[in-house]
Amino acid sequence: MTDIPAHLPHRYPFLLVDRVLEREPGVRVVAEKLVTNGEPYLQGHFEGRPLVPGVLLLEMLAQAGGFLEAGTLHDAAIFLAGVKDARFRAPAFPGDRLRLEVTSEGAFAGLMKLKGAVTCEDRELCTATLLVKRL
Amino acid sequence: MSDLKLRVKEMIIERLKLEGMTPDQIEDQAPLFGDGLGLDSIDALELVLGIEQVFGVKIEDEAAGLKAFKSVQALTDFIAEHTKG
C-alpha cells in the first residue's frame, strides 16, 4: 500500500488519488479515486446535478502520473506542461469508483509524456496524453 | 538530398505537426531550437520519441540531445552513426 500523502504534496480539497493499486515507477501506474457527494466542486458543478468536471479527470491522471516518479514529490517542482488529444466520453458521478491508469511514453530533459485513461466499471470516461515537466 | 536526411525531415514535420511545411523548406544547417525552426523542450521530447520509433536510435540524455539537435544535418549524422552495423 502506497502512502499517498507521503508521496504527493497535494492535500484536501485537491488530493484526487485515494489508492494506488499497481505501480512500476517509470512505466505504469494504476490508481483509484472514489467520487463522493462531499467533493466541494460538486456543489456548484452542477446544482442538483453533480458531475465531476472533465478538467479534474485530467488532474486525477496527472496526480496518478506522479507515482511514476520513484521518489516523493514533496520538494520537487513538477508541473503539467501539456495536454493533448483529450477526450471525454462519459461523465463521472458521485459514487463512481474511478480507475486511473497511466503509462509512460518516454521522457527527455525533465519532461515526461504520459498516456492516461479514466475508466469506471470498464466504461472509458476519459483518455488523454499529458506532458509533465520536472524542474 | 540524401534519403536519410529526407526521412529525418519528414519525421520532424510529421511528429511536430508542422502543417504546410515541406522537407525542402527546412534548411540542413538551420538550428532546430531557438532561431532556426524555433522548437521548444516539448518538441524536443516529441523528436526524441519519434527518432526512437522511426529510426530505432535512442537519445539518452541532454548532452546527446545538444549534439543531435544542432541542425537537421547534425541529426542525420547522429542517426547514421548510431544505426551503423
Side-chain angles (χ1 to χ4, degrees), chain A residues 84 105 108-109 111 113 131, chain B residues 41-42 46 48-49 61-62:
Chain A
K84 301 204 314 183
E105 295 261 286
F108 181 72
L111 202 62
K113 188 177 181 182
L131 296 162
Chain B
S41 61
I42 292 175
E46 287 297 341
V48 167
L49 299 179
D61 52 22
E62 286 171 70

Side-chain angles (χ1 to χ4, degrees), chain A residues 31-81:
Chain A
E32 206 171 56
K33 162 72 184 158
L34 294 156
V35 182
T36 70
N37 267 307
E39 314 279 343
Y41 49 82
L42 293 176
Q43 226 178 12
H45 192 281
F46 298 95
E47 194 177 20
R49 196 163 51 88
L51 58 94
V52 180
V55 288
L56 290 190
L57 298 179
L58 298 177
E59 176 64 25
M60 287 173 196
L61 290 174
Q63 290 188 17
F67 291 91
L68 288 168
E69 298 277 337
T72 169
L73 297 179
H74 273 263
D75 296 313
I78 192 158
F79 307 99
L80 195 54

Side-chain angles (χ1 to χ4, degrees), chain B residues 45-66:
Chain B
L45 172 62
E46 287 297 341
L47 283 187
V48 167
L49 299 179
I51 291 159
E52 203 176 323
Q53 218 171 60
V54 176
F55 302 102
V57 172
K58 228 180 155 121
I59 296 182
E60 294 287 352
D61 52 22
E62 286 171 70
L66 216 55

Side-chain angles (χ1 to χ4, degrees), chain A residues 62-117:
Chain A
Q63 290 188 17
F67 291 91
L68 288 168
E69 298 277 337
T72 169
L73 297 179
H74 273 263
D75 296 313
I78 192 158
F79 307 99
L80 195 54
V83 177
K84 301 204 314 183
D85 308 320
R87 294 285 182 276
F88 304 97
R89 299 189 164 85
F93 301 109
D96 281 349
R97 179 191 294 264
L98 304 180
R99 181 184 162 93
L100 316 169
E101 187 166 348
V102 290
T103 46
S104 171
E105 295 261 286
F108 181 72
L111 202 62
M112 192 190 263
K113 188 177 181 182
L114 325 168
K115 266 216 157 124

Side-chain angles (χ1 to χ4, degrees), chain B residues 8-61:
Chain B
V8 167
K9 288 183 179 180
E10 284 170 348
M11 185 273 299
I12 292 171
I13 290 169
E14 198 242 298
R15 285 301 287 213
L16 304 183
K17 300 189 169 71
L18 303 175
E19 277 153 32
M21 209 162 186
T22 58
D24 54 353
Q25 286 174 312
I26 301 177
E27 284 176 46
D28 294 356
Q29 301 300 339
L32 297 181
F33 297 89
D35 289 339
L37 278 179
L39 306 185
D40 61 20
S41 61
I42 292 175
D43 297 323
L45 172 62
E46 287 297 341
L47 283 187
V48 167
L49 299 179
I51 291 159
E52 203 176 323
Q53 218 171 60
V54 176
F55 302 102
V57 172
K58 228 180 155 121
I59 296 182
E60 294 287 352
D61 52 22

